[in-house]
Amino acid sequence: DAGVIQSPRHEVTEMGQEVTLRCKPISGHDYLFWYRQTMMRGLELLIYFNNNVPIDDSGMPEDRFSAKMPNASFSTLKIQPSEPRDSAVYFCASSRTSSGETQYFGPGTRLLVL
Amino acid sequence: GQQLNQSPQSMFIQEGEDVSMNCTSSSIFNTWLWYKQDPGEGPVLLIALYKAGELTSNGRLTAQFGITRKDSFLNISASIPSDVGIYFCAGRLYNQGGKLIFGQGTELSVKP
């Protein structure tokens, strides 16, 4: 089976531009998670979905960030407008139905906002 | 918010040596996970622990779920150069659904 798929793998943009990150979870996984990783703050959970419904978005930094999951096989994380401090690696992860299941991570999107 | 204290932050060892790292928390967890992250990649699951006192091995790796449910350790025996990377612990609190809390990571360097 394919793992979690993320695109793009790298993104360089200018401050003020809109950025959209995409994720395809592992088939059959009902939980989807968006993380941000930086040297200063480590791995931070931004938001997670269960059966396409956002469950906890308390980690979303501010209104410039939004996430959607229109169906079980696709999710987006959007930053509008982007700022240099948004530069980080963004990971998507998925897990099966039970909350006790482990999470499997995608390869990440490396975002650089100039 | 909840935090996991992972130590040490970094380790420089000789090939063949054993390695030990641990995570502690002030809160009780019902699941402990250990991940490894290689440069340019996402974290990959190494070991999952679900019961207090549980001791689980995966090859040269051994991890334990602390009796108090507030800590976990990971041991790597006879380290090899490909063990290089960043190791993360992660815990799941009771009644927190799928949410994981990650430690700060232990960066391991192995000298051949």
Side-chain angles (χ1 to χ4, degrees), chain A residues 19-47:
Chain A
V19 175
T20 300
L21 311 181
R22 297 173 177 79
C23 175
K24 176 179 170 56
I26 295 172
S27 178
H29 283 194
D30 293 338
Y31 284 80
L32 183 140
F33 307 82
W34 282 102
Y35 290 89
R36 178 172 66 177
Q37 186 177 41
T38 61
M39 289 292 291
M40 293 297 295
R41 300 175 68 89
L43 263 169
E44 302 175 278
L45 177 67
L46 300 177
I47 185 172

Side-chain angles (χ1 to χ4, degrees), chain B:
Chain B
Q2 299 293 338
Q3 286 190 331
L4 286 180
N5 296 313
Q6 184 172 350
S7 65
Q9 284 189 325
S10 61
M11 302 182 74
F12 297 85
I13 63 169
Q14 197 79 28
E15 182 177 1
E17 289 183 354
D18 296 343
V19 172
S20 184
M21 59 192 78
N22 68 83
C23 276
T24 60
S25 171
S26 57
S27 300
I28 293 174
F29 288 88
N30 68 352
T31 304
W32 281 97
L33 306 170
W34 285 92
Y35 288 85
K36 182 192 178 196
Q37 185 176 22
D38 291 327
E41 301 295 331
V44 174
L45 181 69
L46 299 174
I47 292 179
L49 303 160
Y50 299 103
K51 296 180 183 178
E54 180 180 353
L55 184 71
T56 298
S57 293
N58 178 8
R60 294 178 296 105
L61 278 60
T62 302
Q64 185 159 30
F65 193 143
I67 291 291
T68 65
R69 296 179 180 269
K70 294 183 179 181
D71 64 324
S72 177
F73 72 76
L74 175 71
N75 287 343
I76 305 173
S77 63
S79 58
I80 59 178
S82 62
D83 291 334
V84 166
I86 302 177
Y87 292 79
F88 291 96
C89 63
R92 180 178 288 113
L93 294 165
Y94 284 102
N95 301 320
Q96 287 291 304
K99 189 174 182 177
L100 286 178
I101 299 169
F102 280 82
Q104 304 95 322
T106 296
E107 185 170 5
L108 178 64
S109 300
V110 180
K111 185 177 180 180

Side-chain angles (χ1 to χ4, degrees), chain A residues 32-101:
Chain A
L32 183 140
F33 307 82
W34 282 102
Y35 290 89
R36 178 172 66 177
Q37 186 177 41
T38 61
M39 289 292 291
M40 293 297 295
R41 300 175 68 89
L43 263 169
E44 302 175 278
L45 177 67
L46 300 177
I47 185 172
Y48 79 93
F49 296 82
N50 181 19
N51 290 323
N52 313 336
V53 176
I55 302 300
D56 185 342
D57 65 354
S58 59
M60 295 287 262
E62 48 197 273
D63 292 344
R64 296 184 298 106
F65 285 68
S66 62
K68 294 182 180 179
M69 192 165 184
N71 58 62
S73 59
F74 184 66
S75 177
T76 60
L77 178 67
K78 187 174 293 185
I79 308 172
Q80 168 62 19
S82 58
E83 297 182 3
R85 61 191 168 125
D86 301 331
S87 298
V89 182
Y90 291 81
F91 288 104
C92 177
S94 70
S95 67
R96 271 194 271 244
T97 302
S98 168
S99 64
E101 290 288 334

